[in-house]
Coordinates of all heavy atoms in Angstrom, one line a residue:
D1 N 0.8 -1.2 0.0 CA 0.0 0.0 0.0 C 0.9 1.3 0.0 O 1.8 1.4 0.8 CB -0.9 0.0 1.2 CG -2.3 0.2 0.9 OD1 -2.7 0.2 -0.3 OD2 -3.1 0.3 1.9
I2 N 0.6 2.2 -0.9 CA 1.3 3.4 -1.0 C 0.4 4.5 -0.5 O -0.7 4.7 -1.0 CB 1.8 3.7 -2.4 CG1 2.8 2.6 -2.9 CG2 2.5 5.1 -2.5 CD1 3.2 2.8 -4.3
S3 N 0.9 5.3 0.5 CA 0.1 6.4 1.0 C 0.1 7.6 0.0 O 1.0 7.6 -0.9 CB 0.7 6.9 2.3 OG 1.9 7.5 2.2
P4 N -0.8 8.4 0.1 CA -0.9 9.6 -0.9 C 0.4 10.5 -0.8 O 0.8 11.0 -1.8 CB -2.1 10.4 -0.4 CG -3.0 9.4 0.3 CD -2.1 8.4 0.9
I5 N 0.9 10.6 0.4 CA 2.1 11.4 0.6 C 3.3 10.7 -0.1 O 4.1 11.4 -0.8 CB 2.4 11.6 2.1 CG1 1.4 12.5 2.7 CG2 3.8 12.3 2.3 CD1 1.5 12.7 4.2
D6 N 3.4 9.4 0.0 CA 4.5 8.7 -0.7 C 4.3 8.8 -2.2 O 5.3 8.9 -2.9 CB 4.5 7.2 -0.2 CG 5.0 7.0 1.2 OD1 5.7 7.9 1.7 OD2 4.7 6.0 1.8
L7 N 3.1 8.7 -2.6 CA 2.9 8.8 -4.1 C 3.3 10.2 -4.6 O 3.9 10.3 -5.7 CB 1.4 8.5 -4.4 CG 1.0 8.5 -5.9 CD1 1.8 7.4 -6.6 CD2 -0.5 8.2 -6.0
I8 N 3.0 11.2 -3.9 CA 3.4 12.6 -4.3 C 4.9 12.7 -4.3 O 5.5 13.2 -5.2 CB 2.8 13.6 -3.3 CG1 1.3 13.7 -3.5 CG2 3.5 15.0 -3.5 CD1 0.6 14.5 -2.5
N9 N 5.6 12.1 -3.3 CA 7.1 12.1 -3.2 C 7.7 11.4 -4.4 O 8.7 11.8 -5.0 CB 7.6 11.6 -1.9 CG 7.4 12.5 -0.8 OD1 7.3 13.7 -0.9 ND2 7.2 12.0 0.4
I10 N 7.1 10.3 -4.8 CA 7.6 9.5 -5.9 C 7.4 10.3 -7.2 O 8.3 10.3 -8.0 CB 6.8 8.1 -6.0 CG1 7.2 7.2 -4.8 CG2 7.1 7.4 -7.3 CD1 6.4 6.0 -4.6
Q11 N 6.3 10.9 -7.4 CA 6.0 11.7 -8.6 C 7.0 12.9 -8.7 O 7.5 13.2 -9.8 CB 4.6 12.2 -8.6 CG 3.6 11.1 -8.8 CD 2.1 11.6 -8.7 OE1 1.9 12.5 -8.0 NE2 1.2 10.8 -9.3
V12 N 7.2 13.6 -7.6 CA 8.2 14.7 -7.6 C 9.6 14.2 -7.9 O 10.3 14.8 -8.7 CB 8.2 15.4 -6.2 CG1 9.3 16.4 -6.1 CG2 6.8 16.1 -6.0
F13 N 10.0 13.1 -7.3 CA 11.3 12.5 -7.5 C 11.5 12.1 -9.0 O 12.5 12.4 -9.7 CB 11.6 11.3 -6.6 CG 12.9 10.7 -6.8 CD1 14.1 11.3 -6.4 CD2 13.0 9.5 -7.5 CE1 15.3 10.7 -6.6 CE2 14.2 8.9 -7.7 CZ 15.4 9.5 -7.2
A14 N 10.4 11.5 -9.5 CA 10.5 11.0 -10.9 C 10.6 12.2 -11.9 O 11.3 12.2 -12.9 CB 9.2 10.2 -11.3
S15 N 9.8 13.3 -11.6 CA 9.9 14.4 -12.5 C 11.3 15.1 -12.4 O 11.8 15.6 -13.4 CB 8.8 15.4 -12.1 OG 9.0 16.0 -10.9
K16 N 11.9 15.1 -11.2 CA 13.3 15.6 -11.1 C 14.3 14.8 -11.9 O 15.2 15.3 -12.6 CB 13.7 15.7 -9.7 CG 13.0 16.8 -8.9 CD 13.5 17.0 -7.5 CE 12.8 18.1 -6.8 NZ 13.2 18.3 -5.4
V17 N 14.1 13.5 -11.9 CA 15.0 12.6 -12.6 C 14.9 12.8 -14.1 O 15.8 12.9 -14.8 CB 14.7 11.1 -12.2 CG1 15.4 10.2 -13.2 CG2 15.2 10.8 -10.8
I18 N 13.6 13.0 -14.6 CA 13.4 13.2 -16.0 C 14.0 14.6 -16.4 O 14.6 14.7 -17.4 CB 11.9 13.2 -16.3 CG1 11.3 11.7 -16.1 CG2 11.6 13.7 -17.7 CD1 9.8 11.6 -16.2
G19 N 13.8 15.6 -15.5 CA 14.4 16.9 -15.8 C 16.0 16.8 -15.9 O 16.6 17.4 -16.8
L20 N 16.6 16.0 -15.0 CA 18.0 15.9 -15.1 C 18.5 15.1 -16.3 O 19.5 15.5 -16.9 CB 18.5 15.2 -13.8 CG 18.5 16.0 -12.5 CD1 18.9 15.1 -11.3 CD2 19.5 17.2 -12.6
A21 N 17.7 14.2 -16.7 CA 18.1 13.4 -17.9 C 18.0 14.3 -19.2 O 18.8 14.3 -20.1 CB 17.2 12.2 -18.1
D22 N 16.9 15.1 -19.2 CA 16.8 16.1 -20.3 C 18.0 17.1 -20.3 O 18.5 17.4 -21.4 CB 15.5 16.8 -20.2 CG 14.3 15.9 -20.5 OD1 14.5 14.9 -21.1 OD2 13.2 16.3 -20.1
Y23 N 18.3 17.6 -19.1 CA 19.4 18.5 -19.0 C 20.7 17.9 -19.5 O 21.5 18.5 -20.2 CB 19.6 19.0 -17.6 CG 20.8 19.9 -17.4 CD1 20.8 21.2 -17.9 CD2 21.9 19.5 -16.7 CE1 21.9 22.0 -17.8 CE2 23.0 20.3 -16.5 CZ 23.0 21.6 -17.0 OH 24.0 22.4 -16.9
R24 N 20.9 16.6 -19.2 CA 22.2 15.9 -19.6 C 22.2 15.8 -21.1 O 23.2 16.0 -21.7 CB 22.2 14.5 -19.0 CG 23.4 13.7 -19.3 CD 23.3 12.3 -18.7 NE 24.5 11.5 -19.0 CZ 24.8 11.0 -20.2 NH1 24.0 11.1 -21.2 NH2 25.9 10.3 -20.3
K25 N 21.1 15.5 -21.7 CA 21.0 15.4 -23.2 C 21.3 16.7 -23.8 O 22.1 16.8 -24.8 CB 19.6 14.9 -23.6 CG 19.4 13.5 -23.5 CD 18.0 13.1 -24.0 CE 17.6 11.7 -23.6 NZ 16.2 11.4 -24.0
S26 N 20.8 17.8 -23.3 CA 21.1 19.1 -23.9 C 22.5 19.5 -23.7 O 23.1 20.1 -24.6 CB 20.1 20.2 -23.3 OG 20.4 20.4 -22.0
L27 N 23.1 19.2 -22.5 CA 24.5 19.5 -22.3 C 25.4 18.7 -23.2 O 26.4 19.2 -23.7 CB 24.8 19.2 -20.8 CG 26.3 19.5 -20.4 CD1 26.6 21.0 -20.5 CD2 26.5 19.1 -18.9
H28 N 25.1 17.5 -23.4 CA 25.8 16.6 -24.3 C 25.8 17.2 -25.8 O 26.8 17.3 -26.4 CB 25.3 15.2 -24.3 CG 26.0 14.2 -25.2 ND1 25.6 13.8 -26.4 CD2 27.2 13.6 -25.0 CE1 26.5 13.0 -26.9 NE2 27.5 12.9 -26.1
G29 N 24.6 17.6 -26.2 CA 24.5 18.2 -27.5 C 25.3 19.5 -27.6 O 25.9 19.8 -28.6
Y30 N 25.2 20.3 -26.6 CA 26.0 21.6 -26.5 C 27.5 21.3 -26.6 O 28.2 22.0 -27.4 CB 25.6 22.3 -25.2 CG 26.5 23.5 -25.0 CD1 26.3 24.7 -25.7 CD2 27.5 23.5 -24.1 CE1 27.1 25.8 -25.5 CE2 28.3 24.6 -23.9 CZ 28.1 25.7 -24.6 OH 28.9 26.8 -24.4
L31 N 28.0 20.3 -25.9 CA 29.4 20.1 -25.9 C 29.9 19.5 -27.3 O 30.9 19.9 -27.8 CB 29.8 19.1 -24.8 CG 29.7 19.6 -23.4 CD1 30.0 18.5 -22.4 CD2 30.8 20.7 -23.2
I32 N 29.1 18.7 -27.9 CA 29.4 18.2 -29.2 C 29.4 19.3 -30.2 O 30.4 19.5 -31.0 CB 28.4 17.1 -29.6 CG1 28.7 15.8 -28.8 CG2 28.6 16.8 -31.1 CD1 27.7 14.7 -29.1
S33 N 28.4 20.2 -30.1 CA 28.4 21.3 -31.0 C 29.6 22.3 -30.9 O 30.2 22.7 -31.8 CB 27.1 22.1 -30.8 OG 27.1 23.3 -31.4
K34 N 29.9 22.6 -29.6 CA 31.0 23.5 -29.4 C 32.3 22.9 -29.8 O 33.2 23.5 -30.3 CB 31.1 23.9 -27.9 CG 30.0 24.9 -27.5 CD 30.2 26.2 -28.3 CE 29.1 27.2 -28.0 NZ 29.2 28.3 -28.9
M35 N 32.5 21.6 -29.5 CA 33.7 20.9 -29.9 C 33.9 20.9 -31.4 O 35.0 21.1 -31.9 CB 33.6 19.4 -29.4 CG 34.9 18.7 -29.4 SD 36.0 19.2 -28.2 CE 37.2 18.0 -28.3
N36 N 32.8 20.7 -32.1 CA 32.9 20.7 -33.6 C 33.2 22.1 -34.1 O 33.8 22.3 -35.1 CB 31.7 20.1 -34.2 CG 31.6 18.6 -34.0 OD1 32.7 17.9 -34.0 ND2 30.4 18.1 -33.9
Q37 N 32.7 23.1 -33.4 CA 32.9 24.5 -33.9 C 34.3 25.0 -33.5 O 35.0 25.6 -34.4 CB 31.9 25.5 -33.2 CG 30.5 25.3 -33.7 CD 29.6 26.3 -32.9 OE1 30.0 27.0 -32.0 NE2 28.3 26.2 -33.3
V38 N 34.8 24.7 -32.3 CA 36.0 25.2 -31.9 C 37.2 24.4 -32.3 O 38.2 25.0 -32.8 CB 36.0 25.3 -30.3 CG1 37.4 25.7 -29.8 CG2 34.9 26.3 -29.8
A39 N 37.1 23.1 -32.3 CA 38.2 22.3 -32.6 C 37.8 21.0 -33.3 O 37.7 19.9 -32.7 CB 39.0 21.9 -31.4
P40 N 37.4 21.1 -34.6 CA 36.8 19.9 -35.3 C 37.9 18.8 -35.4 O 37.5 17.6 -35.3 CB 36.4 20.5 -36.7 CG 37.1 21.8 -36.8 CD 37.4 22.3 -35.4
N41 N 39.1 19.1 -35.6 CA 40.1 18.1 -35.7 C 40.3 17.3 -34.3 O 40.4 16.1 -34.3 CB 41.5 18.6 -36.1 CG 41.5 19.1 -37.5 OD1 40.7 18.7 -38.3 ND2 42.3 20.1 -37.8
L42 N 40.3 18.1 -33.3 CA 40.3 17.5 -31.9 C 39.1 16.7 -31.7 O 39.2 15.6 -31.1 CB 40.6 18.5 -30.9 CG 40.7 18.0 -29.4 CD1 42.0 17.2 -29.3 CD2 40.8 19.2 -28.5
A43 N 38.0 17.1 -32.1 CA 36.7 16.4 -31.9 C 36.8 15.0 -32.6 O 36.3 14.0 -32.1 CB 35.5 17.2 -32.5
C44 N 37.4 15.0 -33.8 CA 37.6 13.8 -34.5 C 38.5 12.8 -33.8 O 38.3 11.6 -33.7 CB 38.1 14.0 -35.9 SG 36.8 14.7 -37.0
L45 N 39.6 13.4 -33.3 CA 40.6 12.6 -32.6 C 40.0 12.0 -31.2 O 40.2 10.9 -30.9 CB 41.8 13.4 -32.3 CG 42.7 13.7 -33.5 CD1 43.9 14.6 -33.1 CD2 43.3 12.4 -34.1
V46 N 39.4 13.0 -30.5 CA 39.0 12.6 -29.1 C 37.7 11.8 -29.2 O 37.5 10.8 -28.6 CB 38.8 13.9 -28.3 CG1 38.1 13.5 -27.0 CG2 40.1 14.5 -28.0
G47 N 36.7 12.3 -30.0 CA 35.5 11.6 -30.3 C 34.5 11.7 -29.1 O 34.8 12.3 -28.1
E48 N 33.4 11.0 -29.2 CA 32.4 11.1 -28.2 C 32.7 10.2 -27.0 O 32.1 10.3 -26.0 CB 31.0 10.8 -28.8 CG 30.4 11.9 -29.6 CD 29.0 11.6 -30.0 OE1 28.3 11.1 -29.2 OE2 28.7 11.9 -31.2
Q49 N 33.6 9.2 -27.2 CA 33.9 8.3 -26.1 C 34.4 9.0 -24.9 O 34.0 8.7 -23.8 CB 34.9 7.2 -26.6 CG 34.4 6.3 -27.6 CD 33.1 5.5 -27.2 OE1 33.0 5.1 -26.0 NE2 32.2 5.4 -28.1
V50 N 35.3 10.0 -25.1 CA 35.8 10.8 -24.0 C 34.7 11.6 -23.4 O 34.5 11.8 -22.2 CB 37.0 11.6 -24.4 CG1 37.4 12.5 -23.3 CG2 38.1 10.7 -24.8
M51 N 33.8 12.2 -24.3 CA 32.8 13.1 -23.8 C 31.7 12.3 -23.1 O 31.1 12.8 -22.2 CB 32.1 13.8 -25.0 CG 33.1 14.8 -25.6 SD 32.4 15.6 -27.1 CE 31.0 16.4 -26.5
N52 N 31.6 11.0 -23.4 CA 30.6 10.2 -22.7 C 31.1 9.5 -21.5 O 30.4 8.8 -20.8 CB 30.1 9.0 -23.6 CG 29.2 9.6 -24.7 OD1 28.5 10.6 -24.5 ND2 29.1 8.9 -25.8
S53 N 32.4 9.8 -21.2 CA 33.0 9.2 -20.0 C 32.5 9.8 -18.7 O 32.8 9.3 -17.6 CB 34.5 9.4 -20.0 OG 34.9 10.7 -19.9
G54 N 31.7 10.8 -18.8 CA 31.1 11.4 -17.6 C 31.9 12.6 -17.0 O 31.6 13.2 -16.1
N55 N 33.0 12.9 -17.7 CA 33.9 14.0 -17.2 C 33.6 15.3 -18.1 O 34.5 15.7 -18.8 CB 35.3 13.6 -17.3 CG 36.1 14.3 -16.2 OD1 35.7 15.3 -15.6 ND2 37.3 13.8 -16.0
K56 N 32.4 15.8 -18.0 CA 32.0 16.9 -18.8 C 32.8 18.2 -18.5 O 33.0 19.0 -19.3 CB 30.5 17.2 -18.7 CG 29.6 16.0 -19.0 CD 29.6 15.7 -20.4 CE 28.5 14.7 -20.7 NZ 28.9 13.5 -21.4
L57 N 33.1 18.3 -17.2 CA 33.8 19.6 -16.8 C 35.2 19.6 -17.4 O 35.7 20.7 -17.8 CB 33.9 19.7 -15.3 CG 32.6 19.9 -14.6 CD1 32.8 20.0 -13.1 CD2 32.0 21.2 -15.0
V58 N 35.9 18.5 -17.6 CA 37.2 18.5 -18.2 C 37.0 18.9 -19.7 O 37.8 19.7 -20.2 CB 37.8 17.1 -18.1 CG1 39.1 17.0 -18.9 CG2 38.2 16.8 -16.6
M59 N 36.0 18.3 -20.4 CA 35.8 18.7 -21.8 C 35.4 20.2 -21.9 O 35.9 20.8 -22.8 CB 34.6 17.8 -22.3 CG 35.0 16.4 -22.5 SD 36.5 16.2 -23.6 CE 35.9 16.8 -25.1
L60 N 34.6 20.7 -21.0 CA 34.3 22.1 -21.0 C 35.5 23.0 -20.8 O 35.7 24.0 -21.5 CB 33.2 22.4 -20.0 CG 32.5 23.8 -20.1 CD1 31.9 23.9 -21.5 CD2 31.4 23.9 -19.0
N61 N 36.3 22.6 -19.9 CA 37.6 23.3 -19.6 C 38.5 23.2 -20.9 O 39.1 24.2 -21.2 CB 38.3 22.6 -18.5 CG 38.7 23.6 -17.4 OD1 38.5 24.8 -17.6 ND2 39.3 23.1 -16.4
L62 N 38.5 22.1 -21.5 CA 39.3 21.9 -22.7 C 38.8 22.9 -23.8 O 39.6 23.5 -24.5 CB 39.3 20.5 -23.2 CG 40.0 20.1 -24.5 CD1 41.5 20.4 -24.3 CD2 39.8 18.7 -24.9
L63 N 37.5 23.0 -24.0 CA 36.9 23.9 -25.0 C 37.3 25.3 -24.7 O 37.6 26.1 -25.5 CB 35.4 23.7 -25.1 CG 35.0 22.4 -25.7 CD1 33.5 22.3 -25.6 CD2 35.4 22.3 -27.2
I64 N 37.2 25.7 -23.4 CA 37.4 27.1 -23.0 C 38.9 27.4 -23.2 O 39.2 28.5 -23.7 CB 37.0 27.3 -21.5 CG1 35.5 27.2 -21.4 CG2 37.6 28.6 -21.0 CD1 35.0 27.1 -20.0
N65 N 39.8 26.5 -23.0 CA 41.2 26.8 -23.0 C 41.9 26.3 -24.3 O 43.1 26.2 -24.4 CB 41.9 26.2 -21.8 CG 41.5 26.8 -20.5 OD1 41.4 28.0 -20.5 ND2 41.2 26.0 -19.5
I66 N 41.1 25.9 -25.3 CA 41.6 25.3 -26.6 C 42.6 26.3 -27.2 O 43.6 25.9 -27.8 CB 40.5 24.9 -27.5 CG1 41.1 23.9 -28.6 CG2 39.8 26.0 -28.2 CD1 41.5 22.6 -28.1
G67 N 42.3 27.6 -27.1 CA 43.2 28.6 -27.7 C 44.6 28.5 -27.1 O 45.6 28.6 -27.8
N68 N 44.6 28.3 -25.8 CA 45.9 28.2 -25.1 C 46.7 26.9 -25.5 O 47.9 26.9 -25.7 CB 45.7 28.2 -23.6 CG 45.2 29.5 -23.1 OD1 45.4 30.5 -23.7 ND2 44.5 29.5 -22.0
L69 N 45.9 25.9 -25.7 CA 46.6 24.6 -26.2 C 47.2 24.8 -27.6 O 48.3 24.3 -27.8 CB 45.5 23.5 -26.2 CG 45.0 23.0 -24.8 CD1 43.9 22.0 -25.0 CD2 46.1 22.4 -24.0
I70 N 46.5 25.5 -28.4 CA 47.0 25.7 -29.8 C 48.3 26.6 -29.8 O 49.2 26.3 -30.5 CB 45.9 26.3 -30.7 CG1 44.8 25.3 -30.9 CG2 46.5 26.7 -32.0 CD1 43.6 25.8 -31.6
R71 N 48.3 27.6 -28.9 CA 49.5 28.4 -28.8 C 50.7 27.7 -28.3 O 51.8 28.0 -28.6 CB 49.1 29.7 -28.0 CG 48.3 30.7 -28.7 CD 48.1 31.9 -27.9 NE 46.8 32.4 -28.1 CZ 45.9 32.5 -27.1 NH1 46.2 32.3 -25.9 NH2 44.6 32.9 -27.4
I72 N 50.5 26.8 -27.4 CA 51.6 26.0 -26.8 C 52.3 25.2 -27.8 O 53.5 25.1 -27.9 CB 51.1 25.2 -25.6 CG1 50.7 26.0 -24.5 CG2 52.1 24.2 -25.2 CD1 50.0 25.3 -23.3
E73 N 51.5 24.6 -28.7 CA 52.1 23.8 -29.8 C 52.8 24.7 -30.7 O 53.8 24.5 -31.2 CB 51.1 23.0 -30.5 CG 50.4 22.0 -29.6 CD 49.3 21.3 -30.3 OE1 49.0 21.5 -31.5 OE2 48.6 20.5 -29.7

């Protein structure tokens, strides 16, 4: 038996999970788009496997600092 309060909590939790999943999809699309715009060759080399590894902040940092990486070489 599920009480009405528990049912409300389950529905709220499920809607938050769905929202986070949608946010993850949009962030993934954004990172792929930026990677292809800023560094298409690096995007081909690195590929989506690294982007799917869960380390989105490293990829975002790489995109932000890609100009510095190019100057170093």
Side-chain angles (χ1 to χ4, degrees):
D1 233 6
I2 297 177
S3 70
I5 293 173
D6 289 339
L7 187 58
I8 291 170
N9 286 332
I10 291 170
Q11 289 173 337
V12 168
F13 180 72
S15 66
K16 287 183 181 183
V17 169
I18 291 170
L20 287 173
D22 291 340
Y23 176 71
R24 183 185 182 281
K25 284 181 189 176
S26 69
L27 182 61
H28 182 257
Y30 171 78
L31 287 175
I32 288 175
S33 169
K34 286 297 175 188
M35 191 72 172
N36 287 329
Q37 287 176 2
V38 174
N41 293 335
L42 184 61
C44 289
L45 289 174
V46 172
E48 286 189 39
Q49 293 301 321
V50 172
M51 292 175 62
N52 288 333
S53 68
N55 210 346
K56 304 286 191 238
L57 290 178
V58 170
M59 289 304 294
L60 193 57
N61 233 358
L62 179 62
L63 288 173
I64 291 170
N65 295 316
I66 195 72
N68 294 335
L69 291 174
I70 293 171
R71 283 187 221 121
I72 290 172
E73 295 176 5

